[in-house]
Amino acid sequence: GTTLGVLPADVVHSRYILLWGANPADTSPHSWRFIEEARRRGARVVTIDPQRTPTAAGSDWHLQPIPGTDSALALGLMHVIVKERLHDAEYVVNHTHGFDKLQLRLAEFPPAKTAAITGLPEADIVKLAREYAKAGASTIRLLIGMEHRANGAMAFRAISCLPALTGAWRHRGGGFRLLLSQN
């Protein structure tokens, strides 16, 4: 696909915002204001970051996985989403490739194993997967934090599968964003 993602201004239409390894409250105040507007409109803001950042402090929920375990967390979330049939099967069939192979890989990441790898409580992994999958117009905002770890590129790939799996791209404000310079 392309490197284009959710437009910054469209984040106000998001219902669930995952800020994964991103600290826009400090590093991207121009986009943080859209996140705050989305929250005023009822969006839930969740930060996934090993560090307690200003963004984490300003979020509804902060999860602190062990550094470098982002791929495992993404696969664990997808495991729950697929196992509980919370994925958008029609979207997956019509807009993705390799779902059968992905399902085989996801079998290796049940919540208990994902919890052991990431250091997060199993219940939090299941809760996050369910909330994210059920939100519809959910967006994930990534920045460069996780690329400072081994296998960072694979973590980006794994995380970017989440909005395709849930069909978040169908909704205005739903999808994925990496860098603002992409548009």
Side-chain angles (χ1 to χ4, degrees):
T2 70
T3 58
L4 296 177
V6 177
L7 295 172
D10 280 349
V11 169
V12 301
H13 302 286
S14 298
R15 304 304 305 145
Y16 203 87
I17 301 170
L18 275 182
L19 302 168
W20 202 319
N23 184 15
D26 256 359
T27 64
S28 185
H30 51 285
S31 64
W32 182 246
R33 68 184 174 97
F34 295 120
I35 294 166
E36 289 178 321
E37 176 61 25
R39 178 191 269 141
R40 281 191 290 277
R41 294 178 179 202
R44 181 157 164 84
V45 179
V46 178
T47 294
I48 299 172
D49 196 314
Q51 298 183 51
R52 180 81 174 161
T53 63
T55 297
S59 296
D60 298 310
W61 188 19
H62 178 207
L63 294 146
Q64 293 179 276
I66 295 168
T69 63
D70 302 284
S71 295
L73 179 55
L75 292 166
L77 295 173
M78 288 187 275
H79 174 97
V80 173
I81 291 167
V82 172
K83 183 176 182 184
E84 295 187 6
R85 300 185 193 277
L86 299 173
H87 64 290
D88 185 332
E90 189 273 329
Y91 190 89
V92 168
V93 166
N94 291 312
H95 301 285
T96 70
H97 300 281
F99 182 66
D100 292 338
K101 289 180 183 176
L102 177 64
Q103 282 185 289
L104 294 174
R105 185 74 170 133
L106 297 182
E108 300 172 33
F109 289 89
K113 181 178 178 182
T114 303
I117 294 168
T118 64
L120 295 173
E122 186 176 339
D124 285 355
I125 293 164
V126 172
K127 178 181 175 182
L128 178 61
R130 289 174 179 162
E131 286 183 1
Y132 172 78
K134 292 176 182 179
S138 56
T139 191
I140 299 173
R141 175 78 162 101
L142 286 176
L143 277 172
I144 61 172
M146 72 184 71
E147 78 180 30
H148 298 286
R149 301 270 177 224
N151 302 312
M154 187 54 72
F156 277 68
R157 284 187 206 93
I159 295 164
S160 70
C161 289
L162 283 160
L165 191 63
T166 63
W169 288 107
R170 291 182 187 270
H171 309 281
R172 186 171 184 194
F176 178 86
R177 168 158 268 339
L178 181 55
L179 298 173
L180 294 175
S181 62
Q182 292 175 298
N183 287 345

